[in-house]
Amino acid sequence: PLAFIPLKYLAGYVAFVVGWYFWALAFLVTEVAMRPPWYRTGLPVNGNQSIWKGYIHDPLTDLNRLYEDVEFKSASGYTLRGWFIPVAGAATDTASSPFDSNPASSSEGSITQQNTIDVALPRQTFQGSLQSRPMVLFVHGAGRDRRAFLRHAEHLTAAGFSCLLFDLSEHGLSDSANRGSTFGVREQLDVASAAAFLRTAKSATSVIAIGTSMGASACLLVAATNPSALDLVVAENPFTSPARLLTHHLHSHLSNYLSQNKHHFWRRLFYFSATRALLLRIGMLGLRDFGALDAAPSVRCPTLLMHGSIDEVVPVEDGRAIYEAIRGDVARKKYWEAKDAVHCGLFDKYPEVWTENVLGFIRENLPES
């Protein structure tokens, strides 16, 4: 029967079928990229990263620090939720604690006194006034939640910084429709809203953003597009852009199955289809790839870039490229490459060096801290 079909219609049919299969496979690839195997909502106590080292509960249970459950609206339209740890929040420091046992709820949240998991919580209301000073905003990576920086917060609070650990949209306990992450496109709105929350609700004089992976890239995007939002950025293993990162992973997984020569055209066509599908799904309707590397020349605030030398999720070359793209004559910048450190594992490989680098950079560039 094919012999009786005009050649132009047959060619069109073949092109349609091939194109459909390419885009169907591309959609599957983007689904995995936006909702990786470790992506879950809520705050599960099982199946977390080993590098979290048991810091999986809450600030009181794991750090012996009182904290406040907070929520605020994001410019992305989602309600975001998290923990605010005030500098006076040591549970053992009853003499200086600004907390009162009044059970009435505060408009900004409530202080939690015990484990937040599967228990009905008695609450305390925040009655004291926080000292206006720089505060730290922690931003987790794709598929994770606020607890990704719980072990780091122990060192920052001990140094005198109030900290906000929150769940990005579609993560943790923040609003979710199970749509996954958007490689920083939507998340940058969450970061800017969290920074505004610290300034307005907590009287932060300046906001220090510490992000990892997608969180780091989102912080850099905010620093470039909304200069007044952040006063200093610490970006740990950020990626250059969504399409570049997806291409890197596709090549890593398919290079052993597709000949570099024989399948060169089809490989490039598939990579192009997958990356365009990703850009479309994460909201880049113009299909123009844009990420931290493209935004870096517009970053004006002091920026500390950090990357693990054996990072298999985001190649170390991404961190180096972003650092070089930041204009040194405008922003004070520093780069630390942690030898033999894996993705998001710099603190766990070198806890003292990580802390010294971060606190030292903050104090050098924000004298009031």
Side-chain angles (χ1 to χ4, degrees):
L2 294 178
F4 299 97
I5 299 178
L7 184 60
K8 63 178 181 179
Y9 293 119
L10 182 61
Y13 173 76
V14 171
F16 172 79
V17 171
V18 172
W20 186 90
Y21 275 106
F22 260 89
W23 279 100
L25 186 56
F27 181 87
L28 176 62
V29 167
T30 61
E31 190 69 12
V32 175
M34 295 174 67
R35 296 193 296 174
W38 59 85
Y39 173 76
R40 293 169 298 168
T41 55
L43 300 179
V45 295
N46 297 315
N48 296 299
Q49 286 183 292
S50 60
I51 59 174
W52 288 10
K53 297 182 178 179
Y55 288 79
I56 58 173
H57 302 97
D58 58 69
L60 182 60
T61 302
D62 297 330
L63 309 182
N64 195 38
R65 285 197 172 271
L66 293 173
Y67 65 96
E68 183 181 356
D69 285 313
V70 297
E71 66 176 46
F72 51 93
K73 200 74 175 179
S74 170
S76 63
Y78 291 76
T79 296
L80 308 181
R81 299 175 178 87
W83 296 322
F84 178 72
I85 311 174
V87 290
T92 56
D93 186 9
T94 56
S96 61
S97 175
F99 305 104
D100 184 88
S101 57
N102 186 343
S105 296
S106 159
S107 61
E108 292 177 1
S110 52
I111 293 296
T112 304
Q113 296 190 75
Q114 57 177 291
N115 197 329
T116 61
I117 298 178
D118 298 326
V119 292
L121 301 176
R123 306 271 185 190
Q124 287 184 330
T125 306
F126 184 62
Q127 299 291 342
S129 59
L130 287 169
Q131 180 183 3
S132 296
R133 59 171 300 155
M135 296 182 184
V136 173
L137 168 64
F138 286 110
V139 190
H140 64 79
R144 305 302 179 185
D145 57 64
R146 67 184 80 173
R147 298 170 298 170
F149 276 109
L150 195 52
R151 61 199 190 282
H152 306 68
E154 182 174 21
H155 296 262
L156 273 296
T157 54
F161 293 97
S162 295
C163 298
L164 174 63
L165 299 88
F166 77 106
D167 300 321
L168 292 165
S169 54
E170 299 287 349
H171 291 78
L173 297 180
S174 292
D175 283 358
S176 173
N178 203 32
R179 295 172 179 169
S181 64
T182 61
F183 288 72
V185 175
R186 182 186 64 239
E187 292 78 10
Q188 63 180 306
L189 301 176
D190 300 338
V191 173
S193 299
F197 170 79
L198 284 180
R199 294 185 191 276
T200 57
K202 300 303 178 185
S203 302
T205 56
S206 54
V207 176
I208 301 158
I210 303 178
T212 187
S213 194
M214 180 186 71
S217 295
C219 289
L220 291 169
L221 289 171
V222 172
T225 59
N226 189 357
S228 62
L230 304 175
D231 298 279
L232 184 146
V233 170
V234 177
E236 181 184 81
N237 41 260
F239 52 81
T240 54
S241 71
R244 294 184 187 102
L245 183 63
L246 180 59
T247 299
H248 166 76
H249 282 281
L250 288 174
H251 185 70
S252 298
H253 288 86
L254 298 178
S255 58
N256 290 335
Y257 304 98
L258 294 177
S259 168
Q260 298 299 303
N261 297 319
K262 184 178 180 181
H263 301 107
H264 179 72
F265 170 77
W266 295 107
R267 185 179 68 253
R268 288 175 62 90
L269 179 60
F270 175 61
Y271 289 178
F272 178 81
S273 301
T275 54
R276 296 317 106 174
L278 176 66
L279 296 179
L280 187 64
R281 293 194 64 192
I282 64 178
M284 292 186 173
L285 302 182
L287 300 183
R288 174 177 173 264
D289 190 29
F290 185 89
L293 179 62
D294 309 283
S298 298
V299 172
R300 296 293 182 267
C301 66
T303 305
L304 169 61
L305 270 293
M306 306 189 292
H307 220 108
S309 66
I310 58 172
D311 193 325
E312 294 184 348
V313 178
V314 178
V316 66
E317 290 78 13
D318 281 28
R320 296 171 184 167
I322 294 171
Y323 171 75
E324 293 297 332
I326 296 176
R327 294 173 56 190
D329 59 328
V330 175
R332 287 155 288 180
K333 62 178 185 176
K334 181 179 179 181
Y335 179 76
W336 172 48
E337 189 167 302
K339 183 179 180 181
D340 299 328
V342 298
H343 189 66
C344 299
L346 284 70
F347 176 84
D348 307 278
K349 185 73 173 179
Y350 306 103
E352 294 181 357
V353 179
W354 187 97
T355 304
E356 290 172 1
N357 271 296
V358 171
L359 291 179
F361 190 75
I362 293 173
R363 286 167 179 154
E364 287 173 10
N365 293 281
L366 294 179
E368 69 272 24
S369 63

